[in-house]
Amino acid sequence: MTRREQLGQVFRFALVGGVNTGTFFGIYLLLHPWMPYFAAYSLAFVLAMIGSFFMNTYFTYRTRPTWKKFLLFPLTNVTNYVIQSAGLYALVTWAGMDTRIAPLVAAIVAIPFTFLLSRRILVPGARRAAGPEERQGQARTSSTV
């Protein structure tokens, strides 16, 4: 994969993240009058995650969805939450960052980790940006679940 293709994936990933955030918030606002706020939050989160899965498979990574990928995809959200939470705590507690800014910084720091994990789950045989010499002789795997 060329550097340009990788940058394209990162750009599409960020775009999907923005659309997904807006989708989540819109669903939450629609559901909130009809159910308790936490139920609305949870349902909006699950629906947005499902939408994110399909947007990332078709648009970001241009791969086909499978049940295996679908079942593994929530790991990206768990990873994102853990990294953001740890980052938020560290930025506020140890670095003394303002609590209004720290969540944004923590979210930005989490993006590369979430990108790499989602790529690993959604793109069969995805590897770190290894050169052709490193990949030569390595067997490629495919997921046909």
Side-chain angles (χ1 to χ4, degrees), residues 25-80:
F25 194 60
I27 293 171
Y28 173 76
L29 291 176
L30 287 171
L31 296 174
H32 185 269
W34 306 102
M35 58 181 61
Y37 78 94
F38 197 78
Y41 168 83
S42 299
L43 185 54
F45 184 87
V46 169
L47 293 173
M49 184 173 48
I50 292 168
S52 177
F53 170 76
F54 287 106
M55 287 187 288
N56 276 302
T57 53
Y58 288 118
F59 180 68
T60 302
Y61 302 110
R62 298 182 176 157
T63 185
R64 70 179 179 85
T66 65
W67 281 108
K68 180 179 179 180
K69 293 175 191 177
F70 182 75
L71 295 173
L72 289 172
F73 189 73
L75 291 175
T76 64
N77 288 287
V78 170
T79 300
N80 193 4

Side-chain angles (χ1 to χ4, degrees), residues 82-94 98-99 101-104 106:
V82 168
I83 292 170
Q84 283 190 40
S85 298
L88 177 63
Y89 180 81
L91 290 168
V92 171
T93 304
W94 299 331
D98 187 315
T99 57
I101 304 295
L104 179 60

Side-chain angles (χ1 to χ4, degrees), residues 119-128 135 139-143:
R119 183 169 180 242
R120 183 89 164 152
I121 289 170
L122 298 177
V123 180
R127 293 184 181 87
R128 291 174 36 175
R135 287 190 211 136
R140 293 204 177 258
T141 61
S142 63
S143 175

